[in-house]
């Protein structure tokens, strides 16, 4: 019998498509019986395919409706991941709420999120008693919405009250935590977990906290790297990343698993910093859907394994469904005096 092939449709923004859909990935996936096929976002999704699976990172109501329609017409197709689950990551409060709800086994390290509050309007921003009691300067002001737009990545490090003037709510004010200038990016692909080090904002000294003239410092995507700046040895040396110890892999695996199950997401990364005040306290500051996997060393084989697992699971489920269908179409009856049961299929 000919080998069963699978088709995975992908719907990605042009930049994402360019970085993620590399020839090396396409050919490795193909050699394992899976074809990656581009979805034309300009045409109705239901008219394209057939797809066993849809992989996507597009925004908006129209795309959501298209996925719903596709799901209704193709109930056995797998959508990675569900738009409702992804939506949680588009708001920086709901994004991190899930971390606070995670429960892990007893261990010497602890984890959590930095203190933060949401500010919906200018009034609350200047109503200092409402938030200054719980939060000390410096703070990072982050746009509440994290929808992938350039605007949603624009951050401001605020050193004192003077810096508040220029902020534009709705924002999240998050405690800035010194962490030695290195951030850990933890990439999750289903059950696979890979942590890499990247440069981050430098620590702010006590003198700097008191003596800064300007109240704020704007920045955007400090830890993001272009694909051509891959995390090679040169980058590690230049940024002094070598000297920084990684968080324990077992802790990261535990957090990744907790997040994956709680959020019902397969493809994401989360940013972790080590709180310099404690040394064994880790803070999760950001979670991103479908991040830049191509920057992960050997991303092709990780993603290929993941796609093949999904397709195998889908096939297994289809077989199980078929078995249940056959069994439920069978009737059991007593075969005469000895009371022995026999089974006879009804759908001959
Ligand atoms: N609470 C914090 N304390 C210290 N540094 C922080 C904190 N929050 C953010 N940073 C720094 O600011 C950077 C940007 O913050 P964050 O990751 O929330 O933004 P983002 O635009 O969502 O990033 P990404 O490009 O990963 O999506 C972080 O990579 C880190 O260097
Ligand atoms: O730019 P890259 O592809 O490498 O990936 C970045 C990705 O951008 P893209 O999805 O638009 O491409 C970002 O997504 P949005 O928040 O903007 O949706 C976010 O996930 C970053 O964290 C990723 O960088 P990484 O965390 O891996 O360093
Ligand atoms: Mg980040
Ligand atoms: Mg982010």
């Amino acid at each position: 019998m000919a080998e069963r092939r699978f088709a995975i449709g992908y719907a990605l923004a042009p930049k994402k498509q360019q970085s993620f859909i590399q020839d090396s990935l396409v050919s490795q996936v193909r050699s394992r019986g899976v074809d990656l096929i581009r979805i034309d976002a300009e045409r109705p999704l239901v008219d394209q395919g057939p797809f066993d699976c849809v992989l996507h990172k597009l925004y908006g109501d129209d795309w959501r409706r298209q996925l719903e329609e596709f799901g209704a017409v193709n109930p056995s197709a797998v959508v990675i991941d569900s738009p409702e689950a992804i939506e949680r990551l588009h708001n920086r409060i709901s994004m991190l709420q899930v971390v606070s709800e995670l429960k892990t086994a007893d261990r010497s390290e602890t984890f959590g999120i930095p203190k933060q509050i949401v500010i919906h309007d200018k009034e609350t921003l200047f109503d200092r008693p409402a938030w200054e009691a719980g939060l000390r300067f410096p703070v990072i002001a982050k746009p509440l919405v994290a929808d992938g737009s350039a605007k949603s990545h624009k951050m401001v490090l605020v050193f004192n009250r003077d810096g508040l003037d220029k902020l534009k709510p709705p924002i999240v004010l998050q405690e800035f935590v010194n962490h030695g200038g290195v951030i850990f990016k933890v990439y999750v692909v289903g059950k696979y977990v890979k942590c890499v080090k990247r440069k981050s904002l430098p620590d702010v000294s006590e003198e700097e906290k008191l003596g800064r003239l300007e109240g704020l410092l704007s920045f955007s995507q400090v830890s993001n790297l272009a694909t051509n700046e891959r995390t090679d040895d040169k980058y590690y040396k230049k940024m002094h990343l070598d000297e920084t110890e990684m968080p324990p892999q077992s802790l990261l695996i535990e957090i990744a698993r907790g997040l994956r199950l709680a959020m019902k997401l397969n493809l994401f990364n989360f940013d972790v910093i080590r709180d310099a005040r404690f040394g064994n306290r880790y803070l999760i500051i950001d979670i991103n859907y479908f991040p830049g996997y191509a920057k992960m060393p050997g991303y092709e084989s990780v993603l290929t394994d993941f796609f093949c697992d999904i397709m195998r699971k889908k096939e297994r489920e289809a077989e199980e469904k078929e078995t249940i269908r056959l069994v439920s179409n069978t009737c059991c009856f007593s075969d005469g005096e000895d009371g022995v049961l026999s089974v006879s299929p009804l759908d001959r």
Side-chain angles (χ1 to χ4, degrees), residues 100-113:
S100 320
E101 289 158 18
L102 284 190
K103 296 201 176 31
T104 51
D106 272 351
R107 50 185 315 139
S108 55
E109 305 85 17
T110 60
F111 70 88
I113 61 172

Side-chain angles (χ1 to χ4, degrees), residues 2 83 91 117 146 260 289 319 346:
N91 173 302
I117 50 154
R260 174 168 59 84
Y289 187 64
E319 280 165 12
L346 288 178

Side-chain angles (χ1 to χ4, degrees), residues 185 271 286 288:
K185 282 209 166 253
D271 295 345
D286 184 28
N288 302 293

